Amino acid sequence: MGREAQREGIRRLRQELSEELDAIYTRAFDRIGETGLGEGGIARLTQLLLRSRDGALLPLQEEIEAPLITRAPDPQP
């Protein structure tokens, strides 16, 4: 497998993992809404889940969206 194919494979895997994690968090948010907890408990749990989601997804998204640098720029004369 060539270098470019490996990069594309890694990018695709990161994207798939990000989508799977997002689906897991969506289901978790839905479950929170279905509980009989009071508003305060739901608010605290939602905040924790949001922080967890951001911590899990942001690094994957940053790498997916990062520009690919394949070589150093040509020196200016």
Side-chain angles (χ1 to χ4, degrees):
M1 180 182 286
R3 188 176 183 131
E4 188 60 35
Q6 287 178 341
R7 286 185 185 139
E8 179 58 28
I10 290 171
R11 190 198 65 74
R12 190 172 41 253
L13 183 57
R14 285 182 182 139
Q15 182 66 39
E16 290 170 4
L17 290 170
S18 177
E19 290 169 3
E20 289 175 27
L21 282 169
D22 193 45
I24 289 169
Y25 280 101
T26 298
R27 287 192 305 271
F29 283 118
D30 290 343
R31 286 176 53 199
I32 290 172
E34 296 168 358
T35 65
L37 301 174
E39 287 185 25
I42 289 174
R44 283 190 298 276
L45 189 52
T46 299
Q47 283 292 344
L48 286 172
L49 199 56
L50 282 170
R51 289 174 45 207
S52 173
R53 179 183 179 273
D54 287 346
L57 292 175
L58 279 176
L60 286 170
Q61 289 299 323
E62 288 171 353
E63 282 298 315
I64 291 167
E65 296 169 4
L68 179 62
I69 299 173
T70 57
R71 63 185 178 94
D74 293 329
Q76 297 294 326

